[in-house]
Amino acid sequence: MSERQKTDALIIGAGVCGIYMLYRLLNLGLNVRVLEAGAGPGGTWYWNRYPGARFDSESYSYGYSFSKELLQEWDWTEHFSPQPETLRYLNYVTDRFNLREHMLFNARVRSARFDNAQNRWRVELEDGREYECTWLCTAIGMLSAATPPRIPGVERFRGQAFHTYNWPHEPVDLKGKRVGVIGTGATGVQVIGAIAGEVAQLTVFQRRPNWCAPLHNSPITPEEMATIKASYDEIFATIESTPNAFLHGPDRREMKEVPREDRLAFWEQLYASPGFGVWLGNFRDVLMDPESNAEFSAFIAGKIRQRVRDPETAEKLIPKDHGFGTRRVPLETRYYEAYNLEHVRLVDLNETPIEGIDETGVQTSAEHHEFDIIIYATGFDAITGAFDRIQIEGVDGIRLGDKWHEGPVSYMGLQVAGFPTLFTLAGPQSASVATNFPPAIESMVNWTSAFIGYLESQGLHRVEAEEDAEAAWQQEVKSYYDMSLLAQTKSWFTGYNSNVEGHDKLRYLVYLGGAPAYREKLKEIAEAGYRGFRMS
Ligand code: NAP
């Protein structure tokens, strides 16, 4: 075994968050290393190479804002950037700021153990290499622990089969193939819309439909890009002002205050507009009040009926168990129209459940479906899954997985009592996942790196969330769940995943109070001398 390498800081993950944290910690003059499981930077955008993968955020709201030069140098080519372009962008940023030399690739972390006597973290890779640091930062993604379905015989299939997150790096020839897709979340919806026109036969296995809305993507002309570059100050000011750090903020009117004719006209306009406006730019009560939500859901159901020719298929595609926007809204391109194609078929698993997978395809209670390729768009062990896949041990060997067995607890989603000097960037119970990710992580990284800079300047090398502060944050996180319709719906946001043992009850994974309130709290904590943290 090689000698343990010592650094000031280790960052696990070279995605959007890890890249920026590295930049910030290097600026503090620290010796930093990033440990990344992939063969290059990019995180989410490195792994998710499935057809149709692209932003649901406007491209110019997704890029980093920290460097005005970078903003002026980079040209986005589409309003909602496709995965290859985003991956190019993250590689560009990595090289532009000379970050690559501090990154170690093909370096999957197996364990991280806190040495209480030395105040140091010892980190071991799966290949046995060992590292040691003071500051340990996880930037391991919230949707990075893919969960293939627990279906009997899944390993027997002899054709090609992959989870969307592990889509091959080599091109997959779909032309003329018989393809099955399991899962109709934001990923499945992107895949289905993208491949329906190419394959010979497409069968979609749907358990619960989602309320989807059109993305309305389009190219960005050079003139538009010039206007965008000239407007970045306003763009980022808008992002800072909206609850979810998107370009879309809620309409402050109550739906019921607006005459029916006017609200229908407003909804038509939202439905015809690009991006998340239909979800996040709606009347504020649509996501809070069941009656308003039901009325808007009926409006969207009408759209689905208009777009899908076969009425029976249309009915199957309309969710009946939850209202619009109470799960993450998939944005789609020609998704509903795919079902109008002769060779595309929807199998409703509530009527005919999957019994198993065998060498040649999928067996439901009604028939056997033969495939050349099966695509599992079955989602993730969200938010805590990536942590559970690393053995993290704090003071006295306490395991994070054990502490979080009934659901995560944290202080501000940033630290966990009993795990000193570990910063769980964009972790459970932070605001990031409920928001446009990059702006949220930028503010969190700015805050955390400033905190580390402060601690370094004071000669303090141990910091730990206080139990009381953690308990109070837990209550605050819970209180938002009590207010939101989102919390009443089973989804990865609320901790459910049928493919993970025990994830069959509500877990408080996310701070739902919004990005501005979260930022304000961080600011207050810093101004109060980093209240709630024990420093030594
Ligand atoms: P997801 O939303 O959790 O959807 C998983 C789908 O698989 C659901 O339809 C689920 O059905 C189904 N499923 C799981 N196990 C199954 C089984 N054993 N049998 C049948 N169906 C099964 O996962 P996702 O679509 O990958 O999306 C996760 C999140 O990633 C999104 O919400 C979004 O935040 C992010 N994402 C972002 C983008 C973007 O920004 N452009 C694109 C894609 C994804 P049930 O609903 O019945 O459980």
Side-chain angles (χ1 to χ4, degrees):
M1 193 181 290
S2 57
E3 202 181 313
R4 188 181 304 132
Q5 294 196 28
K6 296 180 179 167
T7 59
D8 297 323
L10 285 171
I11 298 166
I12 309 178
V16 175
C17 185
I19 291 172
Y20 184 47
M21 189 64 178
L22 172 61
Y23 171 82
R24 279 283 162 207
L25 292 186
L26 289 174
N27 281 355
L28 290 177
L30 298 181
N31 182 322
V32 194
R33 171 128 348 241
V34 174
L35 304 173
E36 165 56 53
T44 286
W45 303 103
Y46 171 88
W47 294 103
N48 284 286
R49 293 164 188 248
Y50 61 82
R54 63 172 65 250
F55 288 161
D56 278 347
S57 314
E58 284 74 5
S59 307
Y60 29 94
S61 76
Y62 197 97
Y64 295 110
S65 69
F66 69 88
S67 160
K68 286 207 186 301
E69 294 76 20
L70 174 63
L71 287 169
Q72 293 308 313
E73 285 162 20
W74 184 259
D75 290 326
W76 297 103
T77 64
E78 296 182 44
H79 282 272
F80 300 89
S81 168
Q83 175 271 336
E85 177 163 304
T86 308
L87 186 58
R88 268 200 305 282
Y89 169 73
L90 293 171
N91 273 280
Y92 177 80
V93 174
T94 299
D95 293 327
R96 166 76 171 72
F97 297 100
N98 301 317
L99 303 176
R100 199 174 293 267
E101 64 189 274
H102 305 279
M103 295 175 173
L104 189 71
F105 300 114
N106 303 305
R108 188 175 287 281
V109 173
R110 189 207 323 255
S111 65
R113 293 190 171 86
F114 186 66
D115 179 335
N116 203 27
Q118 302 292 321
N119 274 330
R120 300 273 285 173
W121 280 94
R122 298 194 169 169
V123 175
E124 190 191 0
L125 302 187
E126 283 198 341
D127 63 13
R129 282 177 288 177
E130 289 189 298
Y131 291 82
E132 188 185 306
C133 66
T134 299
W135 312 105
L136 178 61
C137 305
T138 53
I140 50 184
M142 294 160 297
L143 296 160
S144 56
T147 47
R150 293 197 291 185
I151 298 176
V154 77
E155 68 297 336
R156 286 170 59 195
F157 184 62
R158 292 229 194 88
Q160 286 181 289
F162 10 76
H163 189 284
T164 44
Y165 185 74
N166 299 115
W167 194 267
H169 288 207
E170 313 73 49
V172 177
D173 186 11
L174 294 157
K175 206 159 184 277
K177 298 281 165 53
R178 297 165 304 170
V179 179
V181 176
I182 301 181
T184 52
T187 303
V189 161
Q190 285 189 332
V191 175
I192 293 159
I195 69 171
E198 193 184 343
V199 300
Q201 184 195 307
L202 178 62
T203 307
V204 176
F205 295 93
Q206 173 189 271
R207 198 163 56 184
R208 281 191 298 159
N210 280 298
W211 295 102
C212 313
L215 175 67
H216 296 302
N217 183 35
S218 59
I220 297 178
T221 63
E223 295 73 35
E224 274 178 311
M225 197 60 227
T227 309
I228 290 165
K229 283 182 181 176
S231 323
Y232 270 126
D233 285 348
E234 294 94 87
I235 287 173
F236 286 108
T238 303
I239 287 170
E240 213 169 299
S241 70
T242 60
N244 301 85
F246 282 96
L247 289 171
H248 312 275
D251 191 297
R252 292 281 160 201
R253 293 171 295 174
E254 293 264 343
M255 183 202 86
K256 289 172 192 161
E257 286 169 4
V258 179
R260 187 164 160 75
E261 209 170 289
D262 293 352
R263 59 195 192 228
L264 285 175
F266 176 57
W267 286 343
E268 287 294 347
Q269 185 199 323
L270 286 180
Y271 198 78
S273 306
F276 273 134
V278 69
W279 186 26
L280 306 173
N282 218 315
F283 300 115
R284 66 193 164 108
D285 49 330
V286 162
L287 295 182
M288 307 291 283
D289 173 50
E291 261 183 48
S292 309
N293 184 270
E295 190 170 326
F296 186 67
S297 300
F299 171 83
I300 296 290
K303 291 289 176 196
I304 298 171
R305 291 189 185 105
Q306 278 167 19
R307 290 175 62 186
V308 179
R309 269 191 229 119
D310 173 42
E312 228 175 274
T313 307
E315 285 318 304
K316 288 179 181 165
L317 288 164
I318 297 171
K320 307 288 188 303
D321 68 339
H322 67 282
F324 179 90
T326 61
R327 299 174 102 198
R328 202 290 207 165
V329 175
L331 293 182
E332 45 82 25
T333 304
R334 295 183 300 279
Y335 174 63
Y336 290 114
E337 286 71 19
Y339 295 100
N340 296 334
L341 300 170
E342 280 297 312
H343 63 281
V344 178
R345 189 175 155 197
L346 181 69
V347 174
D348 184 344
L349 297 179
N350 300 299
E351 289 172 1
T352 55
I354 294 177
E355 293 184 339
I357 293 181
D358 59 22
E359 289 73 6
T360 57
V362 175
Q363 177 70 49
T364 68
S365 60
E367 65 185 293
H368 188 266
H369 301 261
E370 298 227 332
F371 296 118
D372 303 305
I373 298 174
I374 302 179
I375 300 172
Y376 301 118
T378 46
F380 300 88
D381 183 356
I383 310 187
T384 51
F387 289 91
D388 287 341
R389 291 180 186 194
I390 301 173
Q391 181 150 341
I392 301 176
E393 291 179 14
V395 175
D396 298 332
I398 175 181
R399 291 170 68 156
L400 188 64
D402 290 341
K403 178 156 178 174
W404 284 2
H405 190 254
E406 296 303 312
V409 286
S410 77
Y411 182 36
M412 298 301 293
L414 261 178
Q415 276 223 326
V416 184
F419 296 81
T421 331
L422 167 67
F423 288 99
T424 53
L425 298 171
Q429 305 189 336
S430 71
S432 51
V433 78
T435 57
N436 187 18
F437 187 54
I441 68 115
E442 261 190 312
S443 58
M444 184 174 253
V445 164
N446 288 343
W447 190 91
T448 309
S449 56
F451 188 20
I452 292 176
Y454 164 79
L455 292 162
E456 280 278 342
S457 72
Q458 303 298 307
L460 300 166
H461 289 106
R462 179 175 171 129
V463 57
E464 183 180 357
E466 290 171 0
E467 287 77 4
D468 288 356
E470 188 175 82
W473 185 242
Q474 184 71 359
Q475 287 315 313
E476 175 131 10
V477 168
K478 271 187 177 173
S479 69
Y480 282 99
Y481 274 76
D482 295 341
M483 282 187 264
S484 165
L485 292 180
L486 243 81
Q488 295 162 26
T489 308
K490 288 183 182 171
S491 75
W492 64 263
F493 251 77
T494 43
Y496 292 84
N497 185 326
S498 68
N499 302 309
V500 183
E501 195 67 52
H503 285 198
D504 52 1
K505 55 183 173 300
L506 176 64
R507 290 181 303 137
Y508 302 97
L509 297 181
V510 186
Y511 173 70
L512 295 171
Y518 182 78
R519 275 197 310 270
E520 195 49 40
K521 279 177 199 303
L522 283 179
K523 189 162 162 268
E524 279 169 21
I525 288 169
E527 285 170 359
Y530 294 103
R531 191 184 53 227
F533 292 100
R534 202 177 291 124
M535 297 169 268
S536 58

